[in-house]
Each structure stands twice: as C-alpha cells, then as structure tokens.
Amino acid sequence: MIIQRVVLNSRPGKNGVPVAENFRLEQSTIADTVQAGQVRVKTLYLSVDPYMRCRMNEDTGSDYLRPWQLSEVADGGGIGVVEESKHDNLAKGDFVTSFTWPWQTVAILDGSLLQKLAPQLVNGRLSYFLGAAGITGLTALLGIREKGHVAAGANQTMVVSGAAGACGSLAGQIGRLEGCSRVVGIAGTDEKCSILVQEMGFDAAINYKKGDVAKQLRELCPGGVDVYFDNVGGDISDTVISQMNQNSHIILCGQISQYNKDVPYPPPLPPDIEKIQKERNITRERFLVLNYMDKQEASVLQLCQWIQEGKLKVRETVVEGLANIGAAFQSMMNGGNIGKQIVSVSK
C-alpha cells in the first residue's frame, strides 16, 4: 500500500532554530496484510509539541526521549481510526491513540500499544484527546496537584508563563478550579492576553513584549506570587521568581525559551535568582507527567467532565494536511499559535 509520511530531513543543531525544511514529505509503502495482534489505522490527527525540539538533536538530553533519526519517519501523539484489525480488543471503526504515532497517512501498528478512545467524553471532538483531555491536560492538572500545593480557600495567587500555549491556557483555568483565588497569565501578544481574560477566566494577563513586566506583576499580584506554572524559563521566569512568596512553589513544566540552546534541563538559575529561591524556600523540582500515569484514568475523566460542563475552555490551532506539519512545528516553536497545535491529516 502506498502512503505518505514525514521524515526528519535535517537537524537544526543544538543551538539552531527549527524550520519547516527540517522535515520532508515523501511517499512510501506499507504491507498489504495485517499480522496477528496488529491493526491498520488511518491517521486523523497528529500533535505538535515543544518537547519535540529535543528529539531533533542527536542527543535529546533525556533518558526517556529518543531522538528522531535522519530520513526516518517522525512520531508523537496521534489519533486514528482502525480500518482492519487482527487484535482481539480492537475492531474496525474504533478510534485509537498512541504517544508514538508515526507521522504518516496510514500505518500498521501493534494493537497492544494503542488506547481506545470514547468520543462522547469530549463531545465528539477527538482532537481534544491530544490536548485538553490528553497528555497536555494531564500535565497541567497533575503538575498543579503534585507540585503546586494549591489549597482551596488559601487565597493563593498563580502566575502562568506561556499562558496562551497548549498547557498554559489549561493550567490557569485548572489553577482556578483547584482553588487559586487569583490567576495571572503572561503571553506575547495583546490578542492572546485578551483571550486569556475574556474567554478563559484569567484575572489579568501581561504582554511581556510591552512595558515593564516586573512592574506589571507587582501591580497585578500585590500579595506576591504563591504558585508559578513555568512554561518558558529565562528572563521572564527570573522576573516572576523574584516576586514569589516564602514557601511558594514553581511547577517546572517547560523551558521553551531555552530549547534552542545547548544547556542542561532544567537550566540553572542565575546566582541572584537562585539565592532568592533558597532564601524563600521556593520549591523548583523537575516535573514529568509520565511518572504519574497511575493517576491517568481518573485525571482524564476529571478533565473530560470539566470540558462537558463548560468549565474548561479549549483552544486549538489546527493545520490541515500532513504536508504542512513542518510549518506547524516552526510556527509553534515561534509562539505563533494559541492553544494546542494540531495537524489534521485525514477526515
């Protein structure tokens, strides 16, 4: 069977900025027959995520992420529909997902590595299982519950950087649902800031490209910052940490401002900021959602319930066509999208 697939065409280098041309669309073939335990699936949606930048390097710098190989098909979170099955628990027409879905139009996969999806849980919006009801939503929810120490009625203020992104836009809302009394986002455009406040219920949002961020933070968080959901690292995070309270908590989710630099993860703080962190007993521990998969099922059901009740607003930036996945990746890394970046492969 002839298919289309996307392979890694070139590496940007550890300090380089990814471009669409780092990926290549090509024609390939897969077997015409499905073996015992396998299924043939048609790809519907693929997820594009910041962590994938590490996979473009020969060394990902992580023991749980393997690098993409040159001229080999890339992979990540994906959703598809079963076209043929020789697996006992999967039937034709089932919707399935995997963290290691190949970037190709049709694939033959090991059925035991696939998770069956129930579209009714997300009001039929299957792509949500790659975002708000998937690993992105789990990262926001479990990050807050495991590292944020949010307590209802404690009058806590949360700040979220990268707040208009896939994880940040959910984290602010979940922080509120979990009990934070005030939520402030940091984003890169006035449009994003407006969406955070008017659509997603943030109390306020700061455009870090305009004005004095430190001054605006002091005005918007007069009682200091108790919980910081950190998606970006760098100067913005240093500014937030300098205004955090005694015994406060950093949820170290991502450091996208540092992903094109050859630095360890998590990147070390500047000496003056590290001093503040230690003096104020601010926790800053690496958070990896994969360490909490025993809580996955209950957490996904909670996310789906919030979505159904309209308590969790979901934004997606959807790009049509497998051929455009490289451009989607470049846009996402440049902060050009709002919410989750999804590639629609086939309808």
Side-chain angles (χ1 to χ4, degrees), residues 138-183:
L138 286 171
T139 299
L141 177 58
L142 291 172
I144 288 168
R145 286 184 172 176
E146 299 297 328
K147 300 293 185 181
H149 301 275
V150 173
N155 197 32
Q156 292 165 297
T157 293
M158 171 186 279
V159 171
V160 183
S161 59
C167 200
S169 60
L170 299 172
Q173 298 179 75
I174 292 170
R176 171 82 75 200
L177 290 166
E178 289 290 285
C180 285
S181 60
R182 186 164 182 77
V183 179

Side-chain angles (χ1 to χ4, degrees), residues 125 127-128 130-133 136 163-170 173 191-200 202 307 312-318 336-342:
R125 296 293 295 271
S127 58
Y128 283 10
L130 293 178
T136 310
C167 200
S169 60
L170 299 172
Q173 298 179 75
E191 179 193 9
K192 290 178 179 179
C193 290
S194 177
I195 288 170
L196 291 174
V197 174
Q198 296 180 15
E199 185 177 315
M200 297 183 172
F202 284 61
I307 291 169
L312 195 60
K313 308 294 184 182
V314 182
R315 273 273 187 158
E316 293 180 320
T317 300
V318 180
N337 58 300
I338 298 175
K340 181 71 178 180
Q341 181 80 66
I342 298 287

Side-chain angles (χ1 to χ4, degrees), residues 217-232:
L217 265 178
R218 284 192 294 271
E219 292 172 349
L220 295 172
C221 308
V225 178
D226 302 294
V227 184
Y228 173 39
F229 199 99
D230 185 4
N231 286 303
V232 302

Side-chain angles (χ1 to χ4, degrees), residues 88-295:
D88 292 342
N89 297 327
L90 295 173
K92 182 178 179 180
D94 283 346
F95 295 106
V96 291
T97 187
S98 167
F99 292 137
T100 56
W101 197 285
W103 287 7
Q104 57 193 58
T105 50
V106 180
I108 294 176
L109 303 175
D110 181 344
S112 66
L113 302 179
L114 299 174
Q115 180 182 355
K116 192 187 298 188
L117 299 174
Q120 66 272 18
L121 291 178
V122 288
N123 302 323
R125 296 293 295 271
L126 274 172
S127 58
Y128 283 10
F129 284 114
L130 293 178
I135 197 72
T136 310
L138 286 171
T139 299
L141 177 58
L142 291 172
I144 288 168
R145 286 184 172 176
E146 299 297 328
K147 300 293 185 181
H149 301 275
V150 173
N155 197 32
Q156 292 165 297
T157 293
M158 171 186 279
V159 171
V160 183
S161 59
C167 200
S169 60
L170 299 172
Q173 298 179 75
I174 292 170
R176 171 82 75 200
L177 290 166
E178 289 290 285
C180 285
S181 60
R182 186 164 182 77
V183 179
V184 176
I186 302 175
T189 69
D190 289 342
E191 179 193 9
K192 290 178 179 179
C193 290
S194 177
I195 288 170
L196 291 174
V197 174
Q198 296 180 15
E199 185 177 315
M200 297 183 172
F202 284 61
D203 292 284
I206 296 169
N207 181 347
Y208 70 87
K209 295 180 180 178
K210 286 186 175 181
D212 185 332
V213 174
K215 179 182 177 182
Q216 292 177 77
L217 265 178
R218 284 192 294 271
E219 292 172 349
L220 295 172
C221 308
V225 178
D226 302 294
V227 184
Y228 173 39
F229 199 99
D230 185 4
N231 286 303
V232 302
D235 293 342
I236 289 175
S237 290
D238 296 344
T239 300
V240 176
I241 294 169
S242 70
Q243 297 190 33
M244 295 187 73
N245 293 325
Q246 194 75 24
N247 302 318
S248 53
H249 305 282
I250 299 168
I251 302 165
L252 194 58
C253 178
Q255 302 280 275
I256 195 169
S257 72
Q258 309 297 301
Y259 286 171
N260 295 326
K261 301 176 183 179
D262 187 11
V263 295
Y265 187 88
L269 297 171
D272 57 328
I273 302 300
E274 185 178 19
K275 182 181 179 183
I276 290 173
Q277 181 207 346
K278 291 179 177 178
E279 288 178 346
R280 299 181 190 172
N281 192 34
I282 302 170
T283 63
R284 183 181 185 256
E285 303 165 340
R286 184 171 187 169
F287 171 72
L288 180 61
V289 69
L290 297 179
N291 290 337
Y292 301 92
M293 285 297 97
D294 59 315
K295 300 180 180 180

Side-chain angles (χ1 to χ4, degrees), residues 42-45 320 344-347:
K42 179 172 72 172
T43 304
L44 300 177
Y45 299 103
E320 299 288 340
S344 175
V345 177
S346 178
K347 291 187 176 179

